[in-house]
């Protein structure tokens, strides 16, 4: 199982290296790493290239995490049936790490929020409604996408521990604690990668969300 964890993580990492925002920008002769916040994720892509490209980036980044989970399931569902959900989680985590730390960009990627929503969609659908609600309300009220992302990550982490205690997660009993730690790691990582946003939020100069792109 130790080796299979690494294999699943590597599969996910490979999917995570498909950097949608960067690729869509290159198609339009725009290097989004050099504009706006310099981030390759959904928010900066939307800010630079507009709502349609940003929405497409969101979907693609979400789906690459789902795809990693599906591939891991296809490969290991018969050989490790009791631990398949844990291995799927390793695949999802790998996709997040690949997105956040792509080796060919000197390990400077996105912040993993869209990928994390893909993880929730594929593995924790019971957590999706509250995470989406938290994100939407936070952004609608404050217009800070970063704040919505941070609060949604915290919301997921709380739910994982509560739902695990209630027996509402699909993991084998022997895998549950490991899974909760992995998800908590992903949530904490997302928050840490928003440390610059947190500083700007506290200073009152964080960028607010707008549907208008800077290219309009």
């Amino acid at each position: 199982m130790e080796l299979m964890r690494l294999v699943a993580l590597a599969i996910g990492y490979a999917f995570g290296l498909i950097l949608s925002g960067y690729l869509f920008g290159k198609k339009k002769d725009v290097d989004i790493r050099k504009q706006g916040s310099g981030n390759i994720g959904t928010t900066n892509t939307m800010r630079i290239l507009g709502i349609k490209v940003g929405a497409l980036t969101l979907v693609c980044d979400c789906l690459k995490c789902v795809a990693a989970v599906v591939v891991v399931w296809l490969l290991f569902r018969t050989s490790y049936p009791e631990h398949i959900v844990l291995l799927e989680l390793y695949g999802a985590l790998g996709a997040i790490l690949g997105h956040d730390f792509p080796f060919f960009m000197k390990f400077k990627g996105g912040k993993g929020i869209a990928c994390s929503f893909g993880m929730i969609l594929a593995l924790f659908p019971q957590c999706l409604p509250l995470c989406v609600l938290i994100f939407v309300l936070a952004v609608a009220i404050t217009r800070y996408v970063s704040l919505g992302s941070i609060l949604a990550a915290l919301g997921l982490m709380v739910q994982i521990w509560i739902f695990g205690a209630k027996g509402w997660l699909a993991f084998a009993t022997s895998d549950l604690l490991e899974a909760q730690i992995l998800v908590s790691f992903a949530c904490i990582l997302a928050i840490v990668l928003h440390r610059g946003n947190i500083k700007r939020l506290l200073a009152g100069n964080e960028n607010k969300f707008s549907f208008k792109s800077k290219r309009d």
Side-chain angles (χ1 to χ4, degrees):
M1 265 296 289
E2 287 74 14
L3 178 59
M4 294 306 101
R5 286 176 173 89
L6 293 176
V7 172
L9 197 68
I11 291 171
Y13 186 85
F15 275 97
L17 295 178
I18 305 171
L19 305 176
S20 307
Y22 175 75
L23 294 175
F24 290 137
K26 294 297 285 185
K27 188 176 181 180
K28 294 179 176 292
D29 296 319
V30 175
D31 189 344
I32 62 172
R33 296 174 301 172
K34 299 178 181 178
Q35 298 194 38
S37 67
N39 191 270
I40 61 169
T42 299
T43 304
N44 194 48
T45 302
M46 189 174 295
R47 184 179 293 122
I48 301 302
L49 300 177
I51 183 68
K52 292 182 180 179
V53 178
L56 188 57
T57 299
L58 171 64
V59 172
C60 289
D61 285 348
C62 179
L63 289 181
K64 68 185 180 185
C65 191
V66 175
V69 170
V70 171
V71 169
V72 170
W73 178 79
L74 289 172
L75 289 175
F76 300 121
R77 70 187 189 282
T78 56
S79 51
Y80 295 95
E82 294 181 359
H83 305 288
I84 186 61
V85 185
L86 180 65
L87 291 174
E88 289 171 3
L89 178 56
Y90 272 95
L93 180 60
I96 294 171
L97 293 175
H99 178 83
D100 292 350
F101 308 107
F103 71 91
F104 56 83
M105 286 189 175
K106 298 180 180 180
F107 301 98
K108 295 181 180 179
K111 298 175 182 176
I113 297 302
C115 284
S116 296
F117 270 100
M119 176 183 70
I120 298 170
L121 182 64
L123 297 174
F124 309 106
Q126 65 271 55
C127 298
L128 187 63
L130 182 58
C131 288
V132 171
L133 180 63
I134 290 172
F135 179 83
V136 170
L137 285 178
V139 175
I141 294 171
T142 68
R143 290 177 55 202
Y144 292 133
V145 173
S146 57
L147 180 61
S149 300
I150 292 166
L151 293 177
L154 289 171
L156 174 60
M157 186 160 56
V158 171
Q159 288 184 88
I160 286 300
W161 288 97
I162 292 175
F163 289 176
K166 293 288 187 179
W168 295 345
L169 300 179
F171 298 92
T173 303
S174 60
D175 294 339
L176 178 59
L177 179 59
E178 183 177 351
Q180 290 172 312
I181 291 172
L182 290 174
V183 175
S184 297
F185 169 77
C187 294
I188 292 170
L189 176 62
I191 296 170
V192 169
L193 291 175
H194 280 84
R195 59 190 179 277
N197 303 89
I198 294 172
K199 290 179 180 178
R200 290 191 294 273
L201 284 167
L202 294 174
N205 54 13
E206 171 71 320
N207 293 320
K208 290 192 174 183
F209 175 76
S210 173
F211 283 105
K212 295 182 179 180
S213 75
K214 291 188 177 181
R215 291 167 58 86
D216 290 340

